[in-house]
Amino acid sequence: MTGITIEELFDLSETIASGLFEGATYPWEVLPKIHDFIIALGERLPKDIFEEKGENIWIAKSAKVAPTACLNGPLIVDEEAEIRHCAFVRGNAIVGKGAVVGNSTELKNVVLFNKVQVPHYNYVGDSILGFKSHMGAGSITSNVKSDKTLVTVKGDGISIETGLKKMGAMLGDHVEIGCNSVLNPGTVIGRNSNVYPTSCARGVIPAGHIFKDKEHIVKKEQQD
């Protein structure tokens, strides 16, 4: 199956974390490296653009951070990003340019590419969200299996052991997740795909498809 590699999912020019992905084939391979990468990158960020706001916390001067947000490092918030009321960043997070982290949204061990929106009551853990991907209100990534075994990425004809106990979802560029949906551990969603509201999605959803339910994953119609 194609569509699950870093190259197929993401435009790496749309993240300050492009160097994190060097040498990796699949995006989940970089999850254990986010912590150290942020610290190394943060120390090199230009001081005319970023301010160090706490231990291993770098915030762009043009970013907007609500006074009620709780921020823990390591953390980088890129230019023009917005961290809204009561957002909770637990650490190991990169928030891309122009991204929105909204009311009561929780982040942990994540990379949000530029222009990502997680604006209302979202939990995003051990996940990577590609350029302009959007999670509807109340949608979450589930990052640990109920039996606590290691996560396997499964799709049509593939089964890839990740070696990770914690892995949420990999969302390609321009992915839309409907409100109150759950993305189960090891979910990979290809570019330009949509997930219906209140869905329970798992496995691999190919690029350019609509997930209605597990029996109905349909290709989008071509638009002129």
Side-chain angles (χ1 to χ4, degrees):
M1 171 179 283
T2 60
I4 62 173
T5 65
I6 292 166
E7 182 180 5
E8 292 166 315
L9 289 167
F10 306 120
D11 178 356
L12 293 181
S13 70
E14 293 291 350
T15 177
I16 198 171
S18 58
L20 174 66
F21 298 88
E22 291 179 2
T25 300
Y26 301 113
W28 55 85
E29 295 173 21
V30 309
L31 293 177
K33 303 176 183 179
I34 293 174
H35 177 278
D36 292 344
F37 178 84
I38 293 173
I39 294 174
L41 177 59
E43 294 172 349
R44 304 194 305 268
L45 292 174
K47 290 184 170 40
D48 59 328
I49 298 176
F50 290 86
E51 294 181 291
E52 192 167 0
K53 292 288 193 177
E55 185 177 1
N56 297 324
I57 297 175
W58 293 272
I59 310 291
K61 296 177 182 179
S62 61
K64 297 179 181 179
V65 179
T68 52
C70 178
L71 306 183
N72 297 284
L75 167 65
I76 294 173
V77 179
D78 209 343
E79 297 174 85
E80 306 294 337
E82 184 177 359
I83 312 292
R84 292 177 178 168
H85 174 68
C86 288
F88 177 32
V89 181
R90 287 169 52 190
N92 298 342
I94 296 174
V95 179
K97 289 181 180 178
V100 175
V101 180
N103 173 30
S104 302
T105 291
E106 180 179 348
L107 302 182
K108 175 254 180 184
N109 203 48
V110 299
V111 177
L112 307 185
F113 277 53
N114 300 342
K115 300 289 188 179
V116 166
Q117 293 192 346
V118 284
H120 313 285
Y121 310 105
N122 305 111
Y123 173 68
V124 187
D126 300 287
S127 298
I128 299 172
L129 277 56
F131 177 60
K132 281 192 174 181
S133 59
H134 171 262
M135 295 186 68
S139 60
I140 66 169
T141 63
S142 174
N143 60 337
V144 180
K145 294 172 64 177
S146 59
D147 62 5
K148 307 300 189 294
T149 57
L150 301 181
V151 176
T152 301
V153 174
K154 295 182 179 180
D156 185 13
I158 66 161
S159 179
I160 302 176
E161 300 287 345
T162 67
L164 300 171
K165 183 179 178 181
K166 293 186 177 181
M167 176 191 163
M170 307 289 118
L171 273 56
D173 298 340
H174 301 280
V175 165
E176 290 281 342
I177 305 299
C179 294
N180 290 324
S181 293
V182 176
L183 306 180
N184 283 279
T187 299
V188 180
I189 303 179
R191 294 186 193 219
N192 302 301
S193 286
N194 294 55
V195 173
Y196 266 22
T198 70
S199 295
C200 183
R202 70 172 67 247
V204 176
I205 300 170
H209 279 65
I210 300 172
F211 180 96
K212 299 182 178 182
D213 57 51
K214 64 180 181 179
E215 304 298 334
H216 300 89
I217 303 174
V218 299
K219 189 171 183 179
K220 287 185 176 181
E221 294 182 4
Q222 293 287 340
Q223 306 238 347
D224 295 330

